[in-house]
Amino acid sequence: MTQAATVPTVRKTQRNGRTREPLTRERILAAALRFTDEHSLQALSMRKLASELNVEAMSLYNHIDNKDDILAGIADLVFAEVEIPSAESGSWDDLLRAVSEAARQALSEHANVVPIILSGSNRGPAYLKMMEAVVGTMREAGFTADMAHHGWHTLVAHVLGYVLQETATPILLSANPVHAAVSRSVALADLPSGDFPHIVEIAPLLAECETADEFGFGLDVILSGIATKLAAANDG
């Protein structure tokens, strides 16, 4: 049998003599994510993206539909960074905790992409894989479809809420997150203790708290509450 000839990868040569990597959808989305991370979502345009890739803007349309296609694609690249443990690696709440923490980490590292997530326009393969893993884990653990639906939405709201707190609060209060937390605490501590005794009491704690720790505390409460509802449903 004659062995099929290997088709060589075609690389275009630039005027300076150097080879240029072929343009692909993957390269376009990766460059778009890098640009958004380094600059902002508002700064991203087809012209600037083409410049980053050293190509003409029109050539992008051979691989993507439009800018909305790019936005959905880079959002899904972020979700692709969320590692999903195997179902055999632990209990249902272990998996939900791991995915929630990984999702918060990924979104926090790509804060400029969060507005795309909030718009609800992204339903790419990586997002759907994550959703299927979470909902499927709850269903296999004995949750009804309705309970799994509520559990999914509660976890999503918790993750997004803390990502927004991590990324938006420092911008609103100060260029320095540490100074922002301290200045907020000082302002609260200076409130009249006769009128706001409990706020003044916890003001020093607010200055020291870490968002990751608070996220974990809230996640504990959510998972405990979900577990209680599962136990009640089984007893009923």
Side-chain angles (χ1 to χ4, degrees):
M1 179 179 294
T2 304
Q3 187 175 1
T6 301
V7 179
T9 301
V10 177
R11 295 181 180 273
K12 295 183 178 181
T13 303
Q14 297 177 322
R15 292 181 179 179
N16 59 13
R18 291 184 299 178
T19 58
R20 185 174 66 196
E21 191 175 349
L23 191 63
T24 63
R25 179 179 176 84
E26 290 72 23
R27 278 194 66 213
I28 293 172
L29 295 180
L33 180 57
R34 285 195 306 271
F35 183 92
T36 302
D37 285 341
E38 294 172 4
H39 303 283
S40 70
L41 191 60
Q42 292 73 20
L44 179 65
S45 68
M46 303 298 281
R47 180 180 59 80
K48 291 179 180 177
L49 181 56
S51 178
E52 288 286 313
L53 291 163
N54 197 25
V55 298
E56 297 296 329
M58 289 304 297
S59 65
L60 299 177
Y61 292 98
N62 293 323
H63 307 277
I64 53 96
D65 296 333
N66 46 41
K67 186 176 179 179
D68 287 341
D69 187 23
I70 290 179
L71 297 182
I74 64 176
D76 210 52
L77 282 182
V78 175
F79 285 117
E81 295 182 8
V82 178
E83 184 175 350
I84 301 175
S86 64
E88 297 77 22
S89 61
S91 60
W92 65 265
D93 51 326
D94 287 336
L95 187 141
L96 265 57
R97 180 185 302 280
V99 172
S100 297
E101 291 177 342
R104 185 192 69 83
Q105 183 68 30
L107 291 174
S108 295
E109 291 176 354
H110 301 283
N112 289 340
V113 179
V114 172
I116 306 174
I117 312 300
L118 293 175
S119 72
S121 60
N122 176 72
R123 295 292 184 272
Y127 175 91
L128 294 176
K129 179 182 178 181
M130 180 182 68
M131 183 177 182
E132 178 66 21
V134 171
V135 175
T137 295
M138 287 191 282
R139 291 291 285 130
E140 291 173 8
F143 291 90
T144 64
D146 187 59
M147 291 170 64
H149 154 254
H150 288 302
W152 163 255
H153 275 293
T154 301
L155 291 170
V156 168
H158 185 61
V159 170
L160 288 177
Y162 268 88
V163 169
L164 286 175
Q165 182 178 350
E166 281 183 305
T167 58
T169 300
I171 297 173
L172 294 175
L173 295 178
S174 168
N176 188 316
V178 175
H179 291 168
V182 172
S183 62
R184 176 178 54 188
S185 175
V186 170
L188 295 177
D190 290 342
L191 289 171
S193 58
D195 296 326
F196 306 100
H198 300 104
I199 294 178
V200 172
E201 179 184 29
I202 68 169
L205 301 175
L206 291 174
E208 300 173 357
C209 72
E210 296 288 340
T211 302
D213 294 335
E214 298 305 314
F215 176 81
F217 178 86
L219 190 57
D220 285 342
V221 173
I222 291 172
L223 294 176
S224 295
I226 293 175
T228 299
K229 285 190 171 293
L230 176 61
N234 291 335
D235 291 341

